[in-house]
Amino acid sequence: MSRRIMLIPVGTSVGLTTVSIGLVRALEEQAIKLNFFKPVAQPRRGDTGEERSTAIISHHCSVKPIAPFDLNVVEQMISSDNTDELLEEIIERFEAHQEPDAVAVIEGLVTTRHHPYAERLNLEISRALDADIVFVCVPGNDDPVDINHRLEIVVDAYGGHKSKKVIGCIFNKVNAPYDEHGQLRTDLSVLEAPEHDETRSKALRELPIFAKGLNLLGNIDWNAELMSPRAIDIAKHLNATLINEGNIASRRLSSVTFAAREIHNMTHTLKPGALQVMSGDRGDVFVSCCLAALNGTKLGALLLTGGYQPDENIKQLCNQALETGLPVMLVNTNTWQTAQNLHAFNQEVPVDDSQRIEKVMVHAAESLDAKWVSSLTEKVSRQKKLSPSAFRYYLTNRARQVNKRVVLPEGNEPRTVAAAAICAKRGLARPVLIGDENEIQRVAQQQGVVLGDGVEIVSPAAIQEDYVAGLVKLRGHKGVTDVVARELLQDNVTLGTMMLQQGDVDGLVSGAVHTTANTIRPALQLIKTAENASLVSSVFFMLLPDQVLVYGDCAINPDPNAQQLADIAIQSATSAQMFGIEPRVAMISYSTGTSGAGSDVEKVREATEIAQKLRPDLLIDGPLQYDAAAIESVGRSKAPNSRVAGKANVFVFPDLNTGNTTYKAVQRSFDLVCIGPMLQGMRKPVNDLSRGALVDDIVFTIALTAIQAAN
């Protein structure tokens, strides 16, 4: 049985795309069959290429949207009085792509002065597609009485409260900054938005219309962080010349300051994410900004006006600061004209801004009513493949439930500090940063990060003595005395490992600056392997566009024998199950079945037989070539009787050389997110990071460490 949900905007500028992609993400996390359809493309001013909502969902979700109809074609058919024919074509296109056991999210048109027919067409499309109706409304500064009146009018237009098709309303941009005329402020000066107003939210929840049967299905707060553009977006908007490119593609802007004062009166504006706008001949401000950058403050960018290039001597003096990644751009307009141009900046998220799109999706999805979202999944089919979004949802949701304490020995490392703040804020874990509190707070301030009460900071000197006796007891047979133990505990990774060994924390994550050996060696010596494990191995979770694969072992064991390879297969299958993936394990080799011979193939064949005998409840098959394991048509041809071939989601490689090379080739060739390596076989969870890990990588590693601790 399919479900069809059509989102109908109530008024203009309701943020319909935000709600659409949020609902798609919320449903995608439920691992169900899903589709998206915007029947008529409605490009904004300056848009080129694909329709925005369709493009975002196509590129950032595991959903293949149905192509919309071109707006010009639609308007021509309406003006020629061929609306019935248009509706027939819309139905035909939708039914040709919609599975009978899937949920479809349908996005309506926004009524504007250029598209006055949108309201009528939305009604006709909703009836033609037999869709349930969800209204999307922005409360603005309106009085609750006026908001209720607006909703009553639109409900009546769709059949009134007795209509079984009208199911609810989603409020968007709640508590957004509005001016005295009730207009949403879209200039960059409001990136630092007002705090959440619970009184306003409560008034919306208590509107009389909700007592009549209309359901409030979501309350999406305005979030200033989601409005932060990249420096490159501003450069494109202003057609600016780049003086120093720096990290222009990744630096985000959270405030704007115009340098119209003496420098001692504006030092407080030199903060992370700040766009500093100045006349190009203000060398004093330029140097001050560079000093701030040298001190570790990640300013957003410098924007020079008037066409004035900075003096060459000053540029040479500031060269080291520019090498920190500080973007510097130049425009020919004066400061006043530049301010007017910035005011006209379109803050809609660009289709290529993956990081911001992901945050918008998550924020909108989490703001929807969970019971309603869950109700949409009833009597529809589940996806056979676990999508990346469903995997991330499982990861974060499960981590919140277990609420574990995870120690981070690299406590003053900037990415680690930012990840700890995110984990605490989202309730994914109770992070413990090891390091000097003043230093950690300084790093946080430079990153624009606020460390709330959920982040614990532990000074190494304050706790080292607590673990001396325990370390001596564990390693005394290796010659570790009190003196040696105190020396070893100077290393924060060893100290954190002892905290884990003694049960003071539940897991450990390190590796942002330490090598894999530095992270794993203390764990092997102090934590040791689990009782039922013969070795420690690892897996990577490979987040492909439409599913999640598990790769093992790609980080630890150089050349495992057959018994060890069987253990790695069982450990990897168990890890897959732990994270909601029903394992189908392929033992990878350079030949499939009995087609090849040689010691390497025999090792894989023997490992497969051992694993099958040890765990007959698991689907394990091999040897299989990668294509036979991954591609259904090849699997049917090369291993027609295999229950794994062509359907594998856990890939066990014969040695480290093969595994590590394959995972990196797949990751880099397709620009995939890879979570791991996650260590398997330890008594307690210890996980290593790549030294190139992003903040999100660390966040997910902390989350999976918490889940491991619970299992």
Side-chain angles (χ1 to χ4, degrees):
M1 177 181 176
S2 66
R3 293 293 302 272
R4 303 172 182 188
I5 306 298
M6 186 163 180
L7 300 174
I8 304 292
V10 181
T12 60
S13 301
V14 298
L16 196 58
T17 295
T18 294
V19 179
S20 293
I21 64 179
L23 180 55
V24 167
R25 169 52 57 85
L27 291 168
E28 194 179 26
E29 290 170 346
Q30 302 297 316
I32 61 172
K33 288 186 177 180
L34 179 64
N35 212 339
F36 176 81
F37 185 32
K38 172 117 179 157
V40 181
Q42 194 173 19
R44 279 77 160 176
R45 184 183 60 186
D47 276 1
T48 57
E50 297 177 89
E51 190 277 322
R52 184 178 291 265
S53 297
T54 305
I56 289 175
I57 289 171
S58 174
H59 299 314
H60 300 281
C61 299
S62 55
V63 176
K64 295 180 179 178
I66 303 170
F69 284 84
D70 182 83
L71 182 64
N72 292 327
V73 173
V74 169
E75 290 182 335
Q76 185 176 0
M77 294 181 75
I78 292 173
S79 64
S80 302
D81 199 23
N82 289 328
T83 303
D84 288 343
E85 183 181 341
L86 169 64
L87 293 173
E88 289 173 9
E89 291 187 14
I90 288 174
I91 294 171
E92 182 180 1
R93 181 173 296 186
F94 176 79
E95 296 294 350
H97 294 86
Q98 176 67 4
E99 296 183 69
D101 53 352
V103 175
V105 176
I106 304 163
E107 182 181 309
L109 287 88
V110 178
T111 301
T112 70
R113 61 189 181 90
H114 297 295
H115 311 124
Y117 52 82
E119 189 172 339
R120 178 174 58 85
L121 189 57
N122 282 338
L123 178 60
E124 292 177 341
I125 290 174
S126 69
R127 289 172 175 170
L129 297 180
D130 193 28
D132 292 336
I133 304 302
V134 174
F135 300 112
V136 179
C137 180
V138 170
N141 279 346
D142 290 350
D143 183 274
V145 174
D146 293 331
I147 299 171
N148 195 77
H149 182 61
R150 269 195 289 152
L151 288 175
E152 286 284 12
I153 291 173
V154 73
V155 166
D156 286 343
Y158 282 81
H161 290 286
K162 293 182 180 180
S163 172
K164 294 182 179 180
K165 289 298 180 182
V166 176
I167 59 174
C169 169
I170 296 171
F171 285 121
N172 191 24
K173 302 182 184 180
V174 179
N175 296 314
Y178 287 87
D179 61 24
E180 61 275 16
H181 304 295
Q183 296 296 314
L184 178 66
R185 296 181 60 189
T186 57
D187 55 289
L188 289 173
S189 64
V190 298
L191 290 177
E192 296 173 318
E195 295 183 2
H196 171 77
D197 182 359
E198 180 56 33
T199 303
R200 178 67 166 167
S201 298
K202 185 173 183 292
L204 294 175
R205 292 194 296 268
E206 295 177 352
L207 290 179
I209 195 169
F210 297 130
K212 296 182 179 179
L214 189 71
N215 296 304
L216 178 58
L217 305 177
N219 224 349
I220 306 174
D221 268 323
W222 176 273
N223 188 325
E225 293 180 9
L226 305 182
M227 303 306 298
S228 299
R230 301 166 298 185
I232 194 170
D233 299 325
I234 296 296
K236 289 178 179 178
H237 171 70
L238 298 175
N239 196 25
T241 300
L242 297 184
I243 302 298
N244 188 61
E245 183 174 345
N247 299 327
I248 194 169
S250 58
R251 288 279 174 106
R252 294 202 175 272
L253 310 178
S254 57
S255 63
V256 181
T257 299
F258 292 88
R261 294 163 282 180
E262 292 288 338
I263 188 61
H264 63 273
N265 288 323
M266 56 175 293
T267 54
H268 66 281
T269 68
L270 303 179
K271 56 187 179 182
L275 173 64
Q276 294 289 343
V277 186
M278 69 194 78
S279 177
D281 56 1
R282 284 292 301 272
D284 58 331
V285 181
F286 188 89
V287 171
S288 299
C289 292
C290 289
L291 281 173
L294 279 176
N295 195 39
T297 301
K298 285 193 174 181
L299 297 172
L302 306 186
L303 175 57
L304 311 181
T305 65
Y308 299 115
Q309 288 269 0
D311 182 82
E312 283 300 323
N313 292 327
I314 291 179
K315 283 178 63 177
Q316 188 173 357
L317 180 67
C318 297
N319 188 56
Q320 190 174 355
L322 299 179
E323 290 176 354
T324 65
L326 177 63
V328 181
M329 42 192 163
L330 174 71
V331 292
N332 292 322
T333 52
N334 62 35
T335 302
W336 183 85
Q337 292 168 324
T338 303
Q340 296 300 306
N341 292 338
L342 285 172
H343 184 82
F345 176 70
N346 182 358
Q347 288 198 37
E348 287 187 322
V349 59
V351 173
D352 66 343
D353 191 347
S354 300
Q355 185 183 51
R356 189 172 159 200
I357 287 172
E358 178 65 23
K359 289 183 178 180
V360 169
M361 281 183 164
V362 170
H363 176 68
E366 291 180 345
S367 301
L368 299 177
D369 183 82
K371 289 183 179 179
W372 172 61
V373 173
S374 180
S375 72
L376 296 178
T377 68
E378 296 173 1
K379 299 181 181 180
V380 297
S381 294
R382 297 279 168 182
Q383 290 278 20
K384 294 181 180 179
K385 300 176 180 178
L386 186 67
S387 71
S389 297
F391 177 75
R392 285 191 292 258
Y393 173 75
Y394 177 89
L395 202 62
T396 54
N397 193 48
R398 180 70 178 135
R400 288 192 190 99
Q401 293 173 359
V402 299
N403 191 31
K404 294 298 181 179
R405 195 165 180 247
V406 178
V407 65
L408 308 170
E410 300 160 324
N412 60 357
E413 198 280 321
R415 292 164 295 166
T416 302
V417 172
I422 293 171
C423 286
K425 183 178 180 180
R426 297 180 63 188
L428 305 182
R430 290 173 286 150
V432 180
L433 296 171
I434 299 180
D436 178 74
E437 182 168 3
N438 291 332
E439 172 66 12
I440 291 173
Q441 292 289 0
R442 185 185 67 81
V443 170
Q445 187 177 11
Q446 290 175 344
Q447 302 296 310
V449 171
V450 177
L451 295 177
D453 296 336
V455 178
E456 184 180 349
I457 300 175
V458 175
S459 170
I463 64 169
Q464 284 167 354
E465 196 63 29
D466 298 341
Y467 299 102
V468 171
L471 185 54
V472 171
K473 183 178 180 180
L474 288 168
R475 301 293 291 170
H477 65 288
K478 293 291 186 179
V480 174
T481 63
D482 287 6
V483 174
V484 175
R486 289 187 179 91
E487 182 65 27
L488 290 173
L489 290 168
Q490 295 293 318
D491 171 48
N492 284 354
V493 177
T494 301
L495 179 59
T497 306
M498 279 302 300
M499 293 175 69
L500 178 60
Q501 199 280 333
Q502 297 290 307
D504 294 329
V505 294
D506 302 303
L508 179 147
V509 173
S510 182
V513 291
H514 290 89
T515 64
T516 297
N518 290 145
T519 298
I520 296 177
R521 188 185 302 110
L524 292 174
Q525 294 173 345
L526 304 173
I527 305 296
K528 301 183 179 179
T529 57
E531 293 180 4
N532 60 348
S534 65
L535 80 171
V536 173
S537 64
S538 71
V539 288
F540 280 91
F541 294 96
M542 311 290 291
L543 275 60
L544 274 65
D546 62 343
Q547 66 174 320
V548 178
L549 303 180
V550 178
Y551 281 8
D553 169 16
C554 304
I556 305 295
N557 298 284
D559 189 18
N561 59 35
Q563 179 63 57
Q564 291 172 328
L565 196 59
D567 288 345
I568 291 171
I570 293 170
Q571 288 179 351
S572 301
T574 302
S575 292
Q577 289 175 322
M578 189 187 305
F579 293 94
I581 300 171
E582 191 60 37
R584 295 182 294 275
V585 184
M587 308 293 283
I588 301 301
S589 178
Y590 60 77
S591 74
T592 296
T594 58
S595 64
S599 59
D600 291 337
V601 179
E602 290 305 318
K603 180 180 78 169
V604 175
R605 184 174 290 114
E606 183 183 351
T608 303
E609 293 172 357
I610 294 170
Q612 289 170 338
K613 289 178 182 177
L614 289 173
R615 290 293 302 274
D617 58 307
L618 294 174
L619 287 178
I620 303 176
D621 199 6
L624 290 169
Q625 291 167 285
Y626 192 98
D627 58 349
I631 302 172
E632 196 163 352
S633 59
V634 179
R636 284 197 303 267
S637 172
K638 292 188 174 183
N641 298 320
S642 173
R643 297 170 64 190
V644 173
K647 304 172 184 176
N649 53 17
V650 178
F651 294 73
V652 178
F653 297 98
D655 52 58
L656 185 59
N657 182 49
T658 306
N660 193 270
T661 301
T662 303
Y663 116 75
K664 287 189 175 178
V666 173
Q667 179 192 28
R668 299 302 179 186
S669 297
F670 299 100
D671 193 25
L672 302 180
V673 174
C674 299
I675 301 175
M678 185 186 85
L679 301 189
Q680 312 170 126
M682 301 290 296
R683 287 180 183 269
K684 296 183 179 183
V686 174
N687 282 310
D688 180 42
L689 298 166
S690 164
R691 275 169 282 176
L694 302 175
V695 172
D696 284 348
D697 298 333
I698 302 175
V699 169
F700 285 123
T701 302
I702 292 171
L704 67 83
T705 302
I707 296 171
Q708 276 185 294
N711 285 273

PDB file of all heavy atoms in Angstrom, residues 200-221:
ATOM      1  N   ARG A 200       6.256  31.691  22.164  1.00  0.00           N
ATOM      2  CA  ARG A 200       5.726  31.741  20.802  1.00  0.00           C
ATOM      3  C   ARG A 200       5.385  30.331  20.315  1.00  0.00           C
ATOM      4  O   ARG A 200       4.323  30.095  19.746  1.00  0.00           O
ATOM      5  CB  ARG A 200       6.762  32.384  19.882  1.00  0.00           C
ATOM      6  CG  ARG A 200       6.386  32.458  18.409  1.00  0.00           C
ATOM      7  CD  ARG A 200       5.232  33.389  18.172  1.00  0.00           C
ATOM      8  NE  ARG A 200       5.087  33.721  16.767  1.00  0.00           N
ATOM      9  CZ  ARG A 200       4.030  34.304  16.249  1.00  0.00           C
ATOM     10  NH1 ARG A 200       3.017  34.636  17.023  1.00  0.00           N
ATOM     11  NH2 ARG A 200       3.981  34.580  14.969  1.00  0.00           N
ATOM     12  N   SER A 201       6.287  29.376  20.544  1.00  0.00           N
ATOM     13  CA  SER A 201       6.056  27.997  20.117  1.00  0.00           C
ATOM     14  C   SER A 201       4.827  27.407  20.802  1.00  0.00           C
ATOM     15  O   SER A 201       4.028  26.695  20.182  1.00  0.00           O
ATOM     16  CB  SER A 201       7.288  27.145  20.420  1.00  0.00           C
ATOM     17  OG  SER A 201       8.406  27.618  19.700  1.00  0.00           O
ATOM     18  N   LYS A 202       4.660  27.702  22.079  1.00  0.00           N
ATOM     19  CA  LYS A 202       3.517  27.187  22.833  1.00  0.00           C
ATOM     20  C   LYS A 202       2.206  27.758  22.275  1.00  0.00           C
ATOM     21  O   LYS A 202       1.213  27.035  22.140  1.00  0.00           O
ATOM     22  CB  LYS A 202       3.662  27.554  24.308  1.00  0.00           C
ATOM     23  CG  LYS A 202       2.589  26.984  25.234  1.00  0.00           C
ATOM     24  CD  LYS A 202       2.933  27.283  26.682  1.00  0.00           C
ATOM     25  CE  LYS A 202       1.921  26.650  27.640  1.00  0.00           C
ATOM     26  NZ  LYS A 202       0.598  27.266  27.547  1.00  0.00           N
ATOM     27  N   ALA A 203       2.224  29.049  21.928  1.00  0.00           N
ATOM     28  CA  ALA A 203       1.021  29.679  21.373  1.00  0.00           C
ATOM     29  C   ALA A 203       0.628  29.024  20.052  1.00  0.00           C
ATOM     30  O   ALA A 203      -0.563  28.843  19.758  1.00  0.00           O
ATOM     31  CB  ALA A 203       1.256  31.174  21.187  1.00  0.00           C
ATOM     32  N   LEU A 204       1.623  28.638  19.240  1.00  0.00           N
ATOM     33  CA  LEU A 204       1.335  27.985  17.963  1.00  0.00           C
ATOM     34  C   LEU A 204       0.734  26.603  18.181  1.00  0.00           C
ATOM     35  O   LEU A 204      -0.189  26.188  17.470  1.00  0.00           O
ATOM     36  CB  LEU A 204       2.607  27.881  17.124  1.00  0.00           C
ATOM     37  CG  LEU A 204       3.209  29.201  16.639  1.00  0.00           C
ATOM     38  CD1 LEU A 204       4.542  28.949  15.930  1.00  0.00           C
ATOM     39  CD2 LEU A 204       2.259  29.922  15.709  1.00  0.00           C
ATOM     40  N   ARG A 205       1.253  25.882  19.161  1.00  0.00           N
ATOM     41  CA  ARG A 205       0.733  24.534  19.431  1.00  0.00           C
ATOM     42  C   ARG A 205      -0.712  24.566  19.928  1.00  0.00           C
ATOM     43  O   ARG A 205      -1.435  23.574  19.798  1.00  0.00           O
ATOM     44  CB  ARG A 205       1.620  23.825  20.469  1.00  0.00           C
ATOM     45  CG  ARG A 205       3.012  23.475  19.967  1.00  0.00           C
ATOM     46  CD  ARG A 205       3.696  22.500  20.903  1.00  0.00           C
ATOM     47  NE  ARG A 205       3.930  23.069  22.226  1.00  0.00           N
ATOM     48  CZ  ARG A 205       5.050  23.706  22.578  1.00  0.00           C
ATOM     49  NH1 ARG A 205       6.034  23.855  21.696  1.00  0.00           N
ATOM     50  NH2 ARG A 205       5.191  24.180  23.799  1.00  0.00           N
ATOM     51  N   GLU A 206      -1.114  25.702  20.502  1.00  0.00           N
ATOM     52  CA  GLU A 206      -2.446  25.786  21.112  1.00  0.00           C
ATOM     53  C   GLU A 206      -3.460  26.532  20.243  1.00  0.00           C
ATOM     54  O   GLU A 206      -4.498  26.974  20.742  1.00  0.00           O
ATOM     55  CB  GLU A 206      -2.324  26.459  22.482  1.00  0.00           C
ATOM     56  CG  GLU A 206      -1.513  25.640  23.483  1.00  0.00           C
ATOM     57  CD  GLU A 206      -1.326  26.346  24.810  1.00  0.00           C
ATOM     58  OE1 GLU A 206      -1.694  27.541  24.893  1.00  0.00           O
ATOM     59  OE2 GLU A 206      -0.815  25.718  25.755  1.00  0.00           O
ATOM     60  N   LEU A 207      -3.185  26.671  18.944  1.00  0.00           N
ATOM     61  CA  LEU A 207      -4.160  27.319  18.053  1.00  0.00           C
ATOM     62  C   LEU A 207      -5.478  26.541  18.059  1.00  0.00           C
ATOM     63  O   LEU A 207      -5.482  25.298  18.085  1.00  0.00           O
ATOM     64  CB  LEU A 207      -3.601  27.378  16.627  1.00  0.00           C
ATOM     65  CG  LEU A 207      -2.429  28.324  16.360  1.00  0.00           C
ATOM     66  CD1 LEU A 207      -1.997  28.215  14.907  1.00  0.00           C
ATOM     67  CD2 LEU A 207      -2.788  29.757  16.696  1.00  0.00           C
ATOM     68  N   PRO A 208      -6.606  27.243  18.014  1.00  0.00           N
ATOM     69  CA  PRO A 208      -7.916  26.567  18.053  1.00  0.00           C
ATOM     70  C   PRO A 208      -8.112  25.534  16.946  1.00  0.00           C
ATOM     71  O   PRO A 208      -8.799  24.533  17.143  1.00  0.00           O
ATOM     72  CB  PRO A 208      -8.910  27.730  17.898  1.00  0.00           C
ATOM     73  CG  PRO A 208      -8.171  28.920  18.418  1.00  0.00           C
ATOM     74  CD  PRO A 208      -6.737  28.703  18.054  1.00  0.00           C
ATOM     75  N   ILE A 209      -7.462  25.745  15.790  1.00  0.00           N
ATOM     76  CA  ILE A 209      -7.679  24.834  14.663  1.00  0.00           C
ATOM     77  C   ILE A 209      -7.179  23.425  14.968  1.00  0.00           C
ATOM     78  O   ILE A 209      -7.702  22.442  14.446  1.00  0.00           O
ATOM     79  CB  ILE A 209      -7.003  25.392  13.380  1.00  0.00           C
ATOM     80  CG1 ILE A 209      -7.528  24.644  12.148  1.00  0.00           C
ATOM     81  CG2 ILE A 209      -5.475  25.307  13.474  1.00  0.00           C
ATOM     82  CD1 ILE A 209      -7.129  25.283  10.845  1.00  0.00           C
ATOM     83  N   PHE A 210      -6.196  23.313  15.855  1.00  0.00           N
ATOM     84  CA  PHE A 210      -5.675  21.986  16.186  1.00  0.00           C
ATOM     85  C   PHE A 210      -6.634  21.213  17.088  1.00  0.00           C
ATOM     86  O   PHE A 210      -6.556  19.987  17.177  1.00  0.00           O
ATOM     87  CB  PHE A 210      -4.288  22.099  16.820  1.00  0.00           C
ATOM     88  CG  PHE A 210      -3.257  22.684  15.892  1.00  0.00           C
ATOM     89  CD1 PHE A 210      -2.435  23.724  16.287  1.00  0.00           C
ATOM     90  CD2 PHE A 210      -3.118  22.196  14.607  1.00  0.00           C
ATOM     91  CE1 PHE A 210      -1.510  24.267  15.431  1.00  0.00           C
ATOM     92  CE2 PHE A 210      -2.182  22.725  13.726  1.00  0.00           C
ATOM     93  CZ  PHE A 210      -1.379  23.782  14.141  1.00  0.00           C
ATOM     94  N   ALA A 211      -7.496  21.924  17.775  1.00  0.00           N
ATOM     95  CA  ALA A 211      -8.513  21.257  18.597  1.00  0.00           C
ATOM     96  C   ALA A 211      -9.655  20.711  17.728  1.00  0.00           C
ATOM     97  O   ALA A 211     -10.462  19.899  18.187  1.00  0.00           O
ATOM     98  CB  ALA A 211      -9.068  22.220  19.638  1.00  0.00           C
ATOM     99  N   LYS A 212      -9.714  21.161  16.467  1.00  0.00           N
ATOM    100  CA  LYS A 212     -10.776  20.714  15.563  1.00  0.00           C
ATOM    101  C   LYS A 212     -10.389  19.499  14.738  1.00  0.00           C
ATOM    102  O   LYS A 212     -11.159  19.053  13.891  1.00  0.00           O
ATOM    103  CB  LYS A 212     -11.163  21.857  14.614  1.00  0.00           C
ATOM    104  CG  LYS A 212     -11.773  23.063  15.314  1.00  0.00           C
ATOM    105  CD  LYS A 212     -12.164  24.118  14.288  1.00  0.00           C
ATOM    106  CE  LYS A 212     -12.795  25.338  14.928  1.00  0.00           C
ATOM    107  NZ  LYS A 212     -13.150  26.363  13.922  1.00  0.00           N
ATOM    108  N   GLY A 213      -9.178  19.012  14.931  1.00  0.00           N
ATOM    109  CA  GLY A 213      -8.788  17.798  14.210  1.00  0.00           C
ATOM    110  C   GLY A 213      -7.576  17.939  13.315  1.00  0.00           C
ATOM    111  O   GLY A 213      -6.988  16.940  12.895  1.00  0.00           O
ATOM    112  N   LEU A 214      -7.188  19.188  12.971  1.00  0.00           N
ATOM    113  CA  LEU A 214      -5.962  19.358  12.187  1.00  0.00           C
ATOM    114  C   LEU A 214      -4.776  19.059  13.097  1.00  0.00           C
ATOM    115  O   LEU A 214      -4.728  19.520  14.243  1.00  0.00           O
ATOM    116  CB  LEU A 214      -5.861  20.785  11.653  1.00  0.00           C
ATOM    117  CG  LEU A 214      -4.733  21.033  10.635  1.00  0.00           C
ATOM    118  CD1 LEU A 214      -5.050  20.354   9.315  1.00  0.00           C
ATOM    119  CD2 LEU A 214      -4.515  22.531  10.410  1.00  0.00           C
ATOM    120  N   ASN A 215      -3.807  18.302  12.605  1.00  0.00           N
ATOM    121  CA  ASN A 215      -2.667  17.898  13.426  1.00  0.00           C
ATOM    122  C   ASN A 215      -1.471  18.813  13.199  1.00  0.00           C
ATOM    123  O   ASN A 215      -1.179  19.189  12.055  1.00  0.00           O
ATOM    124  CB  ASN A 215      -2.259  16.465  13.086  1.00  0.00           C
ATOM    125  CG  ASN A 215      -3.346  15.467  13.417  1.00  0.00           C
ATOM    126  OD1 ASN A 215      -3.809  15.387  14.544  1.00  0.00           O
ATOM    127  ND2 ASN A 215      -3.769  14.700  12.410  1.00  0.00           N
ATOM    128  N   LEU A 216      -0.791  19.174  14.276  1.00  0.00           N
ATOM    129  CA  LEU A 216       0.477  19.893  14.169  1.00  0.00           C
ATOM    130  C   LEU A 216       1.567  18.840  13.993  1.00  0.00           C
ATOM    131  O   LEU A 216       1.866  18.073  14.908  1.00  0.00           O
ATOM    132  CB  LEU A 216       0.738  20.737  15.415  1.00  0.00           C
ATOM    133  CG  LEU A 216       2.079  21.496  15.439  1.00  0.00           C
ATOM    134  CD1 LEU A 216       2.199  22.427  14.236  1.00  0.00           C
ATOM    135  CD2 LEU A 216       2.231  22.283  16.729  1.00  0.00           C
ATOM    136  N   LEU A 217       2.161  18.794  12.819  1.00  0.00           N
ATOM    137  CA  LEU A 217       3.083  17.713  12.460  1.00  0.00           C
ATOM    138  C   LEU A 217       4.551  18.120  12.538  1.00  0.00           C
ATOM    139  O   LEU A 217       5.427  17.273  12.351  1.00  0.00           O
ATOM    140  CB  LEU A 217       2.766  17.214  11.039  1.00  0.00           C
ATOM    141  CG  LEU A 217       1.319  16.766  10.827  1.00  0.00           C
ATOM    142  CD1 LEU A 217       1.096  16.376   9.381  1.00  0.00           C
ATOM    143  CD2 LEU A 217       0.975  15.619  11.767  1.00  0.00           C
ATOM    144  N   GLY A 218       4.807  19.388  12.794  1.00  0.00           N
ATOM    145  CA  GLY A 218       6.199  19.820  12.899  1.00  0.00           C
ATOM    146  C   GLY A 218       6.301  21.276  13.266  1.00  0.00           C
ATOM    147  O   GLY A 218       5.435  22.084  12.905  1.00  0.00           O
ATOM    148  N   ASN A 219       7.337  21.615  14.000  1.00  0.00           N
ATOM    149  CA  ASN A 219       7.601  22.984  14.425  1.00  0.00           C
ATOM    150  C   ASN A 219       9.087  23.233  14.185  1.00  0.00           C
ATOM    151  O   ASN A 219       9.923  22.924  15.039  1.00  0.00           O
ATOM    152  CB  ASN A 219       7.270  23.135  15.913  1.00  0.00           C
ATOM    153  CG  ASN A 219       6.505  24.401  16.208  1.00  0.00           C
ATOM    154  OD1 ASN A 219       6.375  25.273  15.354  1.00  0.00           O
ATOM    155  ND2 ASN A 219       6.007  24.535  17.415  1.00  0.00           N
ATOM    156  N   ILE A 220       9.445  23.758  13.026  1.00  0.00           N
ATOM    157  CA  ILE A 220      10.850  23.890  12.643  1.00  0.00           C
ATOM    158  C   ILE A 220      11.348  25.275  13.019  1.00  0.00           C
ATOM    159  O   ILE A 220      10.964  26.282  12.409  1.00  0.00           O
ATOM    160  CB  ILE A 220      11.037  23.637  11.130  1.00  0.00           C
ATOM    161  CG1 ILE A 220      10.438  22.277  10.737  1.00  0.00           C
ATOM    162  CG2 ILE A 220      12.514  23.706  10.762  1.00  0.00           C
ATOM    163  CD1 ILE A 220      10.455  22.001   9.247  1.00  0.00           C
ATOM    164  N   ASP A 221      12.190  25.331  14.032  1.00  0.00           N
ATOM    165  CA  ASP A 221      12.729  26.604  14.503  1.00  0.00           C
ATOM    166  C   ASP A 221      13.727  27.179  13.501  1.00  0.00           C
ATOM    167  O   ASP A 221      14.458  26.443  12.826  1.00  0.00           O
ATOM    168  CB  ASP A 221      13.439  26.418  15.851  1.00  0.00           C
ATOM    169  CG  ASP A 221      12.501  26.670  17.022  1.00  0.00           C
ATOM    170  OD1 ASP A 221      11.665  27.582  16.915  1.00  0.00           O
ATOM    171  OD2 ASP A 221      12.595  25.956  18.026  1.00  0.00           O
TER     172      ASP A 221
END
